Amino acid sequence: MDAPFADWWQEIVVFKPLVFEEAFEAVLAVREQRTVLLNICRMDPEHARRTIDFVIGFVTALDGQYVRIDEKVFLFAPSLVVIKTLQGSLIRNSGSKSIER
């Protein structure tokens, strides 16, 4: 029996957008049950903030989750994916949908 989600959990989509309009691709990927690593290092600060706000809002509306990896790198995942971060010797479940600022 083939599972309908057999392949998606193994796929991580990496985005390095240049402009805000490219952020929609990240949202579509999460909606399609893919995990997205979004690196906004190539964007100017104003567009980068707008992009992150947009993607966070959309992913939250989809019941997804997100974690800030670095200053300009974020991980977005659908609700079926569990994100755990390792900080020192502590493991924290990101189910609270909060990011460190």
Side-chain angles (χ1 to χ4, degrees), residues 1-86:
M1 181 171 132
D2 289 332
F5 300 111
D7 295 327
W8 67 261
W9 66 273
Q10 298 177 10
E11 187 174 305
I12 297 176
V13 180
V14 178
F15 283 108
K16 287 178 86 174
L18 285 172
V19 295
F20 171 78
E21 291 76 18
E22 294 175 337
F24 196 66
E25 293 298 320
V27 170
L28 290 176
V30 174
R31 190 177 75 179
E32 293 169 356
Q33 303 299 311
R34 289 176 171 75
T35 300
V36 173
L37 187 67
L38 184 63
N39 184 339
I40 55 171
C41 69
R42 300 187 318 166
M43 300 179 83
D44 68 78
E46 180 181 331
H47 287 111
R49 183 74 247 162
R50 183 175 171 216
T51 298
I52 290 302
D53 288 345
F54 171 75
V55 177
I56 286 174
F58 221 111
V59 169
T60 300
L62 295 172
D63 288 327
Q65 55 197 323
Y66 53 90
V67 174
R68 186 177 190 163
I69 304 297
D70 198 12
E71 183 180 337
K72 296 184 178 189
V73 180
F74 296 79
L75 182 70
F76 296 92
S79 60
L80 298 175
V81 173
V82 175
I83 300 173
K84 293 187 179 181
T85 58
L86 189 60

